């Protein structure tokens, strides 16, 4: 019987690549999304992967969404916390709303999604929690105090969950992408994009599929001894 995987922010960008890769690996996949109905409908039409709409910043919506996915596909074995937003501004100009929106989605969202699936994983003695953090959660970034704080916090959550889940055969791992060729990055002016690439020793942006392969690796049944790890996928731009 195929294991069930739920990917938040799973219908676009890196999340879409993760959803597709997990389906290709034999998982039954559900892709969560927050607001772009047209993109979600197109994704489902092209891939056959069902999409479910709710905000990961809303705990009650997450609990209801998890219940719906499990009722339709079965117990969730693999959770990929991929949903994230940016609200960039230099710290002296950053508003409380910009801070709260990013923390609520990128950090609290990991709690909101993981908390409802955790009891079932403990009971079944199997689970994979995979959280997409960021290179900027490791090294910080100008005008991203909120984003960097949220993504660094995700690493702390991951390490703590790993210790709590290990005896139940639940692993928690994080992946820190560098700059990836998503629509958001490709939309920046070419000169800015060139300046970003100049900082990457690999000489190129990463591809969403390269992050997806990391997810498939740590999601596997036989990856149980890889726990509490952070995988950096950034073209040698930054080392921890």
């Amino acid at each position: 019987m195929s294991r069930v995987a739920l990917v938040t922010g799973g219908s676009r960008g890196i999340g879409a690549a993760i959803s597709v890769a997990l389906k290709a690996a034999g998982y039954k996949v559900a892709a969560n999304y927050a607001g772009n109905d047209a993109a979600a409908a197109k994704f489902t039409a092209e891939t056959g992967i069902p999409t479910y709409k709710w905000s990961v910043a809303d705990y009650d919506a997450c609990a209801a969404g998890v219940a719906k996915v499990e009722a339709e596909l079965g117990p969730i074995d693999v959770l990929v916390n991929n949903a994230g937003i940016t609200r960039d501004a230099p710290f002296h100009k950053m508003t409380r709303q910009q801070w709260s929106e990013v923390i609520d989605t990128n950090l609290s969202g990991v709690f909101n999604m993981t908390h409802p699936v955790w009891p079932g994983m403990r009971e079944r003695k199997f689970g994979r929690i995979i959280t997409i953090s960021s290179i900027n959660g490791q090294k910080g970034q100008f005008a991203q105090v909120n984003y960097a704080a949220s993504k660094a916090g995700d690493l702390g959550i991951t390490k703590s969950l790993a210790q709590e889940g290990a005896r139940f055969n639940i692993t928690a791992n994080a992946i820190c992408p560098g700059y990836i060729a998503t629509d958001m990055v490709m939309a920046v002016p070419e000169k800015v994009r060139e300046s970003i690439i100049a900082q990457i020793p690999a000489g190129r942006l990463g591809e969403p599929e390269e992050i997806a392969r990391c997810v498939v690796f740590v999601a596997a049944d036989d990856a149980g001894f890889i726990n509490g790890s952070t995988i950096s996928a950034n073209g040698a731009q930054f080392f921890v």
Side-chain angles (χ1 to χ4, degrees):
M1 185 175 180
S2 298
R3 293 202 180 278
V4 176
L6 171 59
V7 183
T8 67
S11 63
R12 299 173 63 195
I14 291 173
I18 292 169
S19 296
V20 169
L22 286 169
K23 182 181 179 184
Y27 294 84
K28 289 194 291 185
V29 180
N32 150 269
Y33 73 103
N36 194 325
D37 295 327
K42 181 181 179 184
F43 176 77
T44 296
E46 292 176 349
T47 66
I49 296 171
T51 51
Y52 299 81
K53 184 178 181 179
W54 71 82
S55 169
V56 300
D58 183 331
Y59 181 89
D60 291 335
C62 291
V66 165
K68 182 174 175 60
V69 170
E70 293 196 324
E72 295 182 4
L73 300 183
I76 293 168
D77 302 298
V78 177
L79 171 65
V80 183
N81 290 306
N82 168 74
I85 63 171
T86 57
R87 299 287 186 269
D88 295 352
F91 186 63
H92 67 285
K93 294 183 178 180
M94 185 170 289
T95 66
R96 289 178 63 184
Q97 182 176 353
Q98 288 173 317
W99 169 268
S100 297
E101 287 179 357
V102 170
I103 295 298
D104 288 350
T105 296
N106 299 4
L107 183 61
S108 295
V110 174
F111 172 85
N112 294 343
M113 284 302 308
T114 307
H115 201 247
V117 303
W118 192 257
M121 289 180 174
R122 280 168 51 98
E123 183 179 337
R124 295 188 301 276
K125 292 187 168 48
F126 182 88
R128 300 285 184 263
I129 306 296
I130 305 163
T131 298
I132 309 302
S133 179
S134 169
I135 184 175
N136 292 340
Q138 296 174 299
K139 71 176 186 62
Q141 180 62 283
F142 182 89
Q144 284 197 330
V145 166
N146 49 4
Y147 184 82
S150 70
K151 292 300 185 176
D154 290 343
L155 299 181
I157 292 174
T158 295
K159 294 170 184 177
S160 299
L161 288 176
Q163 294 177 61
E164 291 195 27
R167 67 191 181 98
F168 298 98
N169 194 27
I170 303 171
T171 66
N173 293 288
I175 297 164
C176 286
Y179 288 90
I180 308 299
T182 59
D183 290 343
M184 180 176 68
V185 172
M186 298 308 291
V188 305
E190 186 175 354
K191 286 187 177 180
V192 176
R193 196 161 63 247
E194 288 175 352
S195 70
I196 291 172
I197 293 172
Q199 301 174 49
I200 304 172
R204 65 175 178 86
L205 299 171
E207 295 295 333
E209 291 75 16
E210 293 179 294
I211 307 306
R213 284 193 286 274
C214 296
V215 172
V216 172
F217 172 63
V218 293
D221 280 24
D222 56 4
F225 208 61
I226 303 167
N227 201 0
S229 295
T230 300
I231 298 174
S232 295
N234 60 38
Q237 185 178 357
F238 183 77
F239 303 107
V240 177

